[in-house]
Amino acid sequence: MKTRISEFRKELGLTQEDLAQKVDVTRQTIISLEQGKYNPSLKLAHDITKALKQKQIEDVFEL
């Protein structure tokens, strides 16, 4: 799965650790998501979308 997590995270001035803390996961999970190596649960995708101040999950995660 392709994501725009890194792009939106950097726009907000967040580190991987900052985002991980906001959505209650490890930094390694954020790294794996950014690299497309991990598919998040619907809840995690929603939480990340909200933390990145985006409106729709589809804006952050692309199939």
Side-chain angles (χ1 to χ4, degrees):
M1 175 179 289
K2 200 172 171 190
T3 75
R4 296 177 65 196
I5 294 171
S6 179
E7 174 187 339
F8 291 130
R9 178 178 58 75
K10 289 174 184 176
E11 284 177 10
L12 293 172
L14 297 173
T15 65
Q16 291 170 332
E17 183 65 32
D18 293 336
L19 180 57
Q21 288 177 358
K22 284 181 176 280
V23 297
D24 198 29
V25 297
T26 66
R27 180 175 167 263
Q28 186 60 43
T29 299
I30 300 300
I31 291 168
S32 294
L33 285 164
E34 287 184 353
Q35 293 175 347
K37 295 181 179 178
Y38 176 72
N39 291 331
S41 67
L42 184 56
K43 181 186 181 326
L44 180 55
H46 177 268
D47 291 347
I48 289 172
T49 300
K50 188 174 174 183
L52 294 174
K53 301 184 182 193
Q54 299 302 305
K55 294 184 185 209
Q56 297 182 10
I57 290 174
E58 293 84 3
D59 293 337
V60 180
F61 297 91
E62 303 169 9
L63 291 175

